[in-house]
Every structure is written in structure tokens, then in C-alpha cells.
Amino acid sequence: KMAEKQEEPSNAQNGEPDNAEEGEEKKKKKLKREDLPPFEIVTGERLPAIFFKFQFRNVEYSSGRNKTFLCYVLETQGKESVTSRGYLEDEHAAAHAEMAFFNTILPKCESSLRYNVTWYVSSSPCVTCADRITETLKKNKNLRLTIMVGRLFMWEEPEMQAALKKMMSAGCKLRIMKPQDFEYVWQNFVEQEEGEEAKAFVPWEDIQENFQYYEEKLAEIL
């Protein structure tokens, strides 16, 4: 931390650095040090295609993928049904997107309404988030949650396996995303270029094998 502090030239505020990108980096560094809210959650209608192609890829070793992208469909059933959708992303330094969903998108479940929630998430929740999901589902019997995941996160860890089992026994449905699910996310949650025909989803070459790999692992855990 100390070394990082000294790196920043004191005159960064006066005059733009030549390289705009470098300026962005500095701004980010400054932001990190000044008081950020407890978590920085980026929400939006649709996520950039480049994020989708990298983060959602159902690879076996997810190096460098240290963000969670959570696309949600929230259907609220009362006198009338209302469906809303969007996505959340997080920086892993802070609270995770799963927590943010309960803190910001659905802070409280009205007991008179029923909620059907589907998440399409780049990887399955960590232990803390899985526990929070379990508690939330136990408290709110009117909430149905299905989580579609691209990858399983740290699934070899016994603690993680236990947390996922508890989450499922609390009524959460956990599914591995099939190629069709990735296509659904692509069509519904990913930005398409302005004025162009929507680009067709192009599956990566090992999408089907990786889906089967994770599906087997999930079956073993459960």
C-alpha cells in the first residue's frame, strides 16, 4: 500500500496526463483510496459483449476472472405481474453481486407478493453469498430463486460443497448453463452494436464439453 501511495505524482490534478488511459488508471487508484461506499456495484440494462465473452466463458480454470456478473429476471406476482431485468457486476474487493441483488434490487420481499427470480451468473456463489442466499430463502417463503451458472466456483472445497447443499435444501435451484442459456443471455443481456443487425451468438469451441464437465461435478456434489 505504501509504495502505491508514493507512486502517484502530486501534479496529477493539474493538467491531463498525455496518455488518457494512464489518467483513467490513476483515477481508479485514487478512487480506491478515498472512501468508497461499502461496495461499488455497476448496474445496467445490458453488459458489453467483451465482458460477456470473457467472464461468462465456462472454462475449467478461470484465471483473471475475478468479477461476478449477475444478470437477473425478476418476476413479481401480485394483482398484476411485473417483470424487470438487468445486470449487476462487482469488484471482488468488496461485496459481491449476489449480496447487492438483495441489498439493492430486492431489499425486502412484501409478504403479499410472490417473487420468481432467475439469475444467470458467470460463476456459482462463494460460501458467504451461498449462506446469505440460504438465509434469505428461509426467511422469505414467497421467494423462488433459480441460479444458472457458467462455472462452479471452488467446487473442490468441502466448505463450498456444504454451502451449496444447504442452499439447495433451502429451495434454491442451481443449474449449469447450457449452450442455449448462454445464447439467451447473449440475446437478452448483452449490448448489440448500434444500428447493426443483432449479431448471432457464436458458441466457443468447448462450450458443450465444459457444460458437461461442470454438470457432472455438480451432480457429484449434490
Side-chain angles (χ1 to χ4, degrees):
K1 277 280 170 247
M2 285 307 292
E4 196 186 350
K5 265 206 161 67
Q6 288 154 5
E7 255 174 52
E8 188 174 335
S10 51
N11 61 356
Q13 288 84 6
N14 329 330
E16 280 290 281
D18 320 325
N19 181 338
E21 217 167 281
E22 192 182 56
E24 278 303 298
E25 276 308 299
K26 288 206 184 96
K27 260 186 229 155
K28 275 188 200 143
K29 272 190 182 160
K30 256 186 73 173
L31 256 179
K32 276 201 182 99
R33 282 197 295 276
E34 283 160 17
D35 295 325
L36 273 176
F39 53 78
E40 183 189 13
I41 293 293
V42 187
T43 55
E45 289 297 302
R46 286 178 174 256
L47 67 156
I50 189 166
F51 287 171
F52 171 81
K53 287 174 181 166
F54 180 67
Q55 297 286 353
F56 268 90
R57 191 143 181 183
N58 57 356
V59 289
E60 208 171 312
Y61 300 106
S62 53
S63 60
R65 294 173 172 81
N66 58 349
K67 269 171 168 295
T68 304
F69 279 87
L70 186 157
C71 301
Y72 63 86
V73 181
L74 165 60
E75 193 189 337
T76 308
Q77 297 171 328
K79 288 198 178 93
E80 293 171 8
S81 285
V82 185
T83 302
S84 64
R85 61 176 70 220
Y87 86 95
L88 296 162
E89 64 179 88
D90 64 36
E91 294 290 352
H92 271 199
H96 292 179
E98 295 92 336
M99 299 282 197
F101 180 87
F102 293 123
N103 295 339
T104 58
I105 309 295
L106 191 59
K108 56 181 192 300
C109 294
E110 301 287 337
S111 54
S112 58
L113 301 172
R114 292 180 56 134
Y115 302 89
N116 284 332
V117 179
T118 305
W119 290 350
Y120 295 87
V121 199
S122 43
S123 68
S124 58
C126 66
V127 171
T128 314
C129 289
D131 289 345
R132 169 78 187 270
I133 291 165
T134 303
E135 283 162 36
T136 306
L137 288 170
K138 281 183 175 160
K139 272 204 303 246
N140 302 288
K141 295 294 177 208
N142 52 335
L143 171 64
R144 302 261 177 283
L145 177 61
T146 302
I147 306 180
M148 313 289 291
V149 302
R151 305 183 294 277
L152 289 175
F153 174 68
M154 294 182 68
W155 54 267
E156 299 102 326
E157 303 288 327
E159 198 189 359
M160 189 70 254
Q161 297 185 359
L164 290 180
K165 283 182 184 153
K166 275 197 308 209
M167 195 176 82
M168 308 280 284
S169 61
C172 178
K173 291 190 173 77
L174 183 61
R175 304 272 186 273
I176 306 292
M177 285 169 70
K178 299 180 166 81
Q180 300 89 297
D181 298 314
F182 288 106
E183 186 169 7
Y184 174 82
V185 171
W186 174 258
Q187 288 168 346
N188 291 280
F189 292 100
V190 175
E191 282 171 5
Q192 304 293 343
E193 295 295 318
E194 284 289 309
E196 283 187 24
E197 283 294 295
K199 286 198 178 74
F201 173 64
V202 181
W204 39 95
E205 78 192 58
D206 43 8
I207 190 169
Q208 180 67 26
E209 292 91 288
N210 291 350
F211 157 66
Q212 285 163 337
Y213 169 83
Y214 279 122
E215 188 152 73
E216 276 163 30
K217 296 298 168 225
L218 184 60
E220 282 166 28
I221 294 167
L222 304 174

